[in-house]
Amino acid sequence: MKTDVHLPPYALAERRYYCPVQLTVEALSGKWKPMIVWHLVLHEKMRYGEIKKSLRTVTHKMLTQSLRELESDGLIDRTVHEVVPPKVEYALSAQGQTLREIFLAMREFGETYKSD
């Protein structure tokens, strides 16, 4: 396979990449981002507490940071409902929805690859 070093760069949050796979890996890098996306694939919308409960060992700091990065990168939407007490929901954005099939394939791989 021939690599063209003159490809236009891909951008993500003001960072430039020459490989779309590298951009994808960076967008989903870290221990918690893929798991957050996975839970949002399974559930249309989730509140912060629901995500925290689903991830069990994630710290408040790491969950907040990961959610902010995913939102900043355009993969999730954060909706604040003007009610008392405040209600905030997270969902995959239109761009994030394009990851659904990838994550479903990852689940299938994990189910067949797992050790007994």
Side-chain angles (χ1 to χ4, degrees):
M1 179 178 200
K2 191 174 182 180
T3 304
D4 185 353
V5 295
H6 303 292
L7 290 174
Y10 301 91
L12 176 67
E14 299 180 16
R15 296 180 302 268
R16 299 269 181 222
Y17 302 92
Y18 287 89
C19 174
V21 174
Q22 182 185 16
L23 180 147
T24 305
V25 169
E26 179 70 21
L28 296 171
S29 68
K31 182 175 182 179
W32 300 110
K33 287 183 193 179
M35 297 312 302
I36 293 167
V37 170
W38 173 240
H39 284 284
L40 292 174
V41 165
L42 293 175
H43 309 281
E44 185 177 331
K45 296 177 183 178
M46 294 182 80
R47 295 179 69 175
Y48 178 91
E50 295 170 327
I51 297 170
K52 176 89 169 80
K53 187 176 180 180
S54 295
L55 299 179
R56 295 187 183 137
T57 60
V58 67
T59 65
H60 169 73
K61 178 182 176 182
M62 287 308 301
L63 179 54
T64 300
Q65 179 180 328
S66 297
L67 287 167
R68 285 181 181 158
E69 289 175 6
L70 287 166
E71 182 183 12
S72 174
D73 290 344
L75 296 177
I76 65 172
D77 291 326
R78 179 178 183 266
T79 303
V80 179
H81 300 278
E82 299 296 328
V83 295
V84 177
K87 180 180 178 182
V88 178
E89 292 180 317
Y90 296 91
L92 292 175
S93 66
Q95 190 69 44
Q97 289 288 345
T98 66
L99 294 167
R100 288 182 75 78
E101 294 303 316
I102 294 168
F103 276 79
L104 293 172
M106 288 171 62
R107 175 182 62 185
E108 186 176 325
F109 173 82
E111 288 173 345
T112 59
Y113 187 71
K114 66 183 177 185
S115 59
D116 291 329

